[in-house]
Amino acid sequence: MTDPGTRVAPYGPAALRRAAPALLGYAAVRALGLLVLAGWSGARDKSAYTLLTARWDALWYTRVAELGYGYEVRLPNGDVHSNLAFFPLLPWLERLLHALTPLSYGAAGFVVSLGASLAAAWGIFAVADRVYGRRVGVCAVLVWAVLPVGIVQSMAYSESLFTALAAWSLYAVLTGRWVTAGLLASLAGLTRPVGLAVVAAVWAAGVVSFVRERGAARGAGARPDDSAPRPPSPPARPREGARGGASRAARAAGLLLAPTGAAGYVLWVGHRTGKGPLGYLDVQAGWRNGFDGGLAFARFVGAKFTPGPSGPALPSVLAGVALTAGVAALIWLYVVCVRRRQPLPLLVHTGVVLALALCASSYFGSKPRLLMPAFPLLFPPAQALAALAARRPVRAAVIVGGVAVASAVYGAWWLNGSGPP
């Protein structure tokens, strides 16, 4: 990996040419998914456009964009679903695009999602290319594109926007652009509650950088024998010192900027609800969302194996086995990432996303899409795919194509059925 202090242009014609295979492959996979969804929905007299822009969370976001905050639904059991649970960046962008174009709020959300998904693909490529090289970067984007719930990347949801901000913030950290990293982390914190993962990654990298810098300075100033005469001091180099000071100031600014988005929105919600700094937790509690260390999810999985009057149903047992295997695979992939010494900010980001997704107490069906921003987990499979492509490119292409078709079919079936909660 290149020295994090080395400045590498992340954009421009040369960078776009380097990322072009990844972006074209990603666009092809997403186009396939949308075409299959359109055909499947049309055969069932449903609107694929409505499924993408005006169902589930997409509808809540467009209501925030159109009406602002304050809308809520009171359920018969006493739960209160408030739109204050939804962070504001996506609705702000929907409102802006609606004001500048003839697009409806839902269509604006769809356009934002499409653009953000391409930006996310480019960011994932940039991070993987930085750490492992171009071939792995292309494969990482393709693996992200063909995830079973990849259709969410094309919905008027906030996953693509958040992943784009997270990926480019992590890339900025890896390349020493601290102010950019902090600004993007702040915007990620205005997008989803899991923005805390990006903030934690920026802070972990910044703190370690400061500690290493202090250790290097102490090591440079130590002498084995204090009684020995000091060598003559070299002439001062003010320019390098100024650059070092500027770098430290930029790092400190980035660390200070990173939490401002999430903290600002959470404090605003607390002020608006009159419940103080923790008011946002009460809003989430109205949706039966919370953090219980994974106990509720464990009970949910365990219930799949619980015998009924005539024993557990086979579909339920198979679902339980699949859930258990999925969680085990996620943990195994994270361990592989640690053993392969992924950069610290990637490990911190992924670890926090995993913890928040797996340890939340409700909406278990949404966990697969909540895990999409944990894209560094896909780097080990991307490395394996890249190695296969180097030896047997046709076989690698067939595998990716087959998985892309399966993902497209699953996405169409899913959205025309239960869909993402």
Side-chain angles (χ1 to χ4, degrees):
M1 187 181 75
T2 311
D3 181 0
T6 303
R7 311 290 276 190
V8 178
Y11 47 80
L16 181 57
R17 284 194 298 271
R18 186 171 180 84
L23 299 180
L24 291 173
Y26 178 79
V29 172
R30 291 273 42 85
L32 174 64
L34 293 175
L35 287 173
V36 172
L37 175 64
W40 192 295
S41 303
R44 286 157 179 76
D45 293 324
K46 291 185 178 181
S47 168
Y49 175 77
T50 299
L51 294 174
L52 292 168
T53 64
R55 294 285 303 277
W56 308 291
D57 286 6
L59 189 57
W60 284 90
Y61 281 118
T62 56
R63 282 174 176 163
V64 173
E66 182 178 6
L67 305 173
Y69 285 106
Y71 176 82
E72 62 183 28
V73 174
R74 295 183 176 271
L75 303 183
N77 65 357
D79 289 345
V80 178
H81 288 185
S82 168
N83 66 358
L84 289 169
F86 295 87
F87 276 49
L89 185 57
L90 177 58
W92 286 348
L93 294 175
E94 290 177 347
R95 183 178 297 177
L96 176 63
L97 195 56
H98 170 74
L100 297 176
T101 69
L103 294 174
S104 67
Y105 292 105
F110 180 61
V111 171
V112 169
S113 183
L114 290 182
S117 67
L118 284 171
W122 194 351
I124 292 170
F125 169 81
V127 172
D129 180 29
R130 174 80 180 178
V131 180
Y132 299 110
R134 186 185 190 189
R135 190 187 297 270
V136 176
V138 172
C139 292
V141 170
L142 292 176
V143 173
W144 191 67
V146 302
L147 289 174
V149 294
I151 190 64
V152 175
Q153 297 162 15
S154 301
M155 296 179 68
Y157 271 42
S158 60
E159 271 75 14
S160 290
L161 179 60
F162 176 78
T163 303
L165 293 168
W168 284 109
S169 179
L170 293 171
Y171 178 81
V173 170
L174 295 177
T175 55
R177 294 174 170 84
W178 292 101
V179 174
T180 300
L183 285 171
L184 293 173
S186 179
L187 291 174
L190 284 170
T191 307
R192 297 189 62 82
V194 77
L196 293 174
V198 190
V199 176
V202 173
W203 269 79
V207 169
V208 168
S209 180
F210 274 121
V211 170
R212 287 176 177 172
E213 193 174 76
R214 286 176 63 88
R218 288 176 180 174
R223 291 186 294 118
D225 184 3
D226 286 342
S227 63
R230 292 176 179 268
S233 299
R237 302 178 66 179
R239 288 187 178 179
E240 289 192 4
R243 283 200 298 269
S247 175
R248 287 189 291 273
R251 191 185 314 149
L255 297 187
L256 291 174
L257 283 169
T260 55
Y265 181 69
V266 168
L267 291 175
W268 178 81
V269 170
H271 174 73
R272 177 166 178 134
T273 59
K275 297 183 178 180
L278 301 181
Y280 183 76
L281 298 181
D282 289 335
V283 171
Q284 285 285 5
W287 288 80
R288 294 190 178 269
N289 281 331
F291 189 89
D292 64 356
L295 293 177
F297 186 45
R299 287 195 293 268
F300 174 77
V301 176
K304 303 296 182 184
F305 301 97
T306 302
S310 58
L314 180 59
S316 176
V317 172
L318 292 177
V321 171
L323 287 169
T324 303
V327 172
L330 290 170
I331 295 173
W332 174 76
L333 280 174
Y334 187 71
V335 171
V336 172
C337 292
V338 173
R339 294 182 65 179
R340 294 187 181 179
R341 300 180 179 273
Q342 273 191 9
L344 177 65
L346 303 189
L347 293 175
V348 171
H349 168 76
T350 303
V352 175
V353 172
L354 279 175
L356 292 177
L358 295 180
C359 297
S361 59
S362 188
Y363 291 101
F364 307 113
S366 65
K367 290 186 185 298
R369 68 175 177 87
L370 298 180
L371 288 164
M372 281 202 301
F375 63 88
L377 285 177
L378 305 178
F379 290 171
Q383 288 177 281
L385 180 61
L388 177 63
R391 300 191 312 269
R392 299 175 181 270
V394 174
R395 178 177 295 183
V398 169
I399 290 174
V400 172
V403 177
V405 170
S407 174
V409 171
Y410 176 79
W413 171 80
W414 188 41
L415 289 198
N416 278 276
S418 61

